[in-house]
Amino acid sequence: MADAPTGSKPRVVVASDHAGVEIKLAILEAVAADGFPVEDLGPETTESVDYPDFAEAVGNRVAEGTASFGVLVCGTGIGISIAANKIPGIRAAILYDDTAARFARIHNDANVAVFGARTMTVDQIVSRLRIFLNEPFEGGRHAKRVEKISQLENKPPRP
Ligand code: RB5
């Protein structure tokens, strides 16, 4: 079967920690099958790794604009989303159901989808990711709120 054309679709970068390696492979396959240009940023094996390193790899690619969307997987999705959200410009959201997947895009303009390998099935993850990658940001009143999120990156903590 010929490859799906990838020219017009946004680039997606995917990474996990050791807990998410198998699910990462299923994600890469599904995203490529849907015609998105997609890159695997590791890890390659299930040897124990530190999830902040992979959150950083994906977050930097999205923040610098060489990828439009990131996908991250750890055991629960929690550690890797906390780490990714430390990178300026990253809005990482754990997609705990289909509605969250939709609203993370249309209201929050999330640019990194996060999943828990120990808390979600492959089918749930692929369904949520397909929703996420195909929903546009609605803008309007939500743009002001997303801008306020960005401003928090530069605000010193109050005493
Ligand atoms: C690794 O065992 C685990 O801590 C990690 O995958 C993740 O669940 C952290 O939030």
Side-chain angles (χ1 to χ4, degrees):
M1 197 171 75
D3 286 345
T6 57
S8 58
K9 296 215 177 189
R11 178 165 293 271
V12 179
V13 288
V14 187
S16 69
D17 72 355
H18 49 280
V21 168
E22 275 183 37
I23 285 197
K24 175 170 64 80
L25 297 178
I27 288 171
L28 289 163
E29 198 177 301
V31 171
D34 288 356
F36 291 87
V38 62
E39 286 175 58
D40 181 357
L41 301 190
E44 289 177 9
T45 72
T46 54
E47 191 181 328
S48 184
V49 292
D50 298 328
Y51 55 79
D53 296 335
F54 293 89
E56 184 179 9
V58 161
N60 282 344
R61 288 290 303 278
V62 174
E64 75 188 11
T66 55
S68 300
F69 294 112
V71 183
L72 289 168
V73 188
C74 71
T76 57
I78 295 172
I80 213 160
S81 61
I82 292 173
N85 277 316
K86 298 290 181 191
I87 298 173
I90 294 305
R91 291 178 296 280
I94 301 179
L95 306 185
Y96 51 84
D97 63 17
D98 286 359
T99 304
R102 178 160 179 262
F103 282 89
R105 287 291 308 130
I106 66 176
H107 282 190
N108 310 120
D109 199 17
N111 48 19
V112 176
V114 185
F115 299 105
R118 296 178 179 139
T119 59
M120 304 172 187
T121 67
V122 176
D123 286 352
Q124 287 171 334
I125 289 171
V126 169
S127 161
R128 294 169 197 176
L129 185 55
R130 286 193 161 125
I131 293 167
F132 181 88
L133 291 176
N134 287 291
E135 287 286 359
F137 177 48
E138 211 172 77
R141 68 188 188 281
H142 303 293
K144 179 182 72 175
R145 296 163 185 168
V146 171
E147 176 53 30
K148 286 190 172 187
I149 294 174
S150 302
Q151 287 168 7
L152 288 174
E153 290 169 357
N154 302 311
K155 275 190 186 174
R158 273 186 279 171

